[in-house]
Amino acid sequence: MKDNNEILKEKLYDKLSKEYEEYLKDLKTKDIDYIIEKSYQTTMKESILKLFYPSLYDGEEKEIKALLDENHLLNCFYDKWLKVDCDISDMLIEFIWRNIEEIKEDYEKDNNIKDTER
């Protein structure tokens, strides 16, 4: 049997899922340019939603109740995310350079290239 906290987490996830589905339903009524323009928002809202999957989210009862009481919660999180002073391009650059190095190493290994041949 599920405890009260598990039930609340499921309610919260259902609430966020419903908000996301309503967002998608509205998005589907728009023209393709608008949909493309909103692609980042769509991706981020989906990512936020996934964070609240009941088995992943470890919120306390009071916290969950406060979130359940909030209107347009998914949109609220997205709007606050946009205000975060964080530039993911630095993370992306680091990720790309790290992967370039791995690809280069794999290439050298696959083609029997030694250090002296570089």
Side-chain angles (χ1 to χ4, degrees):
M1 184 172 170
K2 295 178 186 176
D3 66 15
N4 193 44
N5 207 45
E6 289 298 317
I7 293 168
L8 288 172
K9 289 193 299 185
E10 287 177 5
K11 283 183 180 180
L12 178 59
Y13 184 78
D14 290 344
K15 174 185 176 152
L16 290 166
S17 293
K18 183 180 177 191
E19 185 178 343
Y20 182 69
E21 289 303 319
E22 289 172 3
Y23 165 77
L24 290 178
K25 183 179 177 182
D26 180 61
L27 195 60
K28 290 174 184 177
T29 67
K30 309 298 183 193
D31 65 74
I32 191 69
D33 290 334
Y34 182 85
I35 293 170
I36 291 170
E37 180 183 316
K38 296 295 181 181
S39 61
Y40 177 77
Q41 181 175 350
T42 304
T43 301
M44 292 311 299
K45 284 185 173 184
E46 181 181 23
S47 295
I48 293 166
L49 172 63
K50 288 178 181 178
L51 294 174
F52 288 92
Y53 192 75
S55 63
L56 300 176
Y57 175 57
D58 194 28
E60 298 175 1
E61 187 173 334
K62 288 180 185 178
E63 176 182 281
I64 299 168
K65 285 181 177 180
L67 293 172
L68 283 168
D69 193 53
E70 186 71 27
N71 291 322
H72 310 289
L73 185 58
L74 191 58
N75 206 54
C76 176
F77 283 131
Y78 175 73
D79 289 343
K80 289 178 186 282
W81 168 251
L82 291 178
K83 295 175 185 168
V84 171
D85 189 16
C86 169
D87 185 3
I88 67 166
S89 62
D90 291 337
M91 291 171 33
L92 184 60
I93 289 168
E94 182 181 332
F95 170 81
I96 294 298
W97 286 120
R98 200 169 351 120
N99 279 277
I100 288 172
E101 186 63 30
E102 288 176 14
I103 291 168
K104 182 186 82 169
E105 289 172 3
D106 288 344
Y107 172 81
E108 290 172 343
K109 181 180 171 187
D110 292 345
N111 292 289
N112 294 320
I113 298 173
K114 296 178 182 158
D115 285 341
T116 57
E117 296 177 40
R118 287 189 226 174

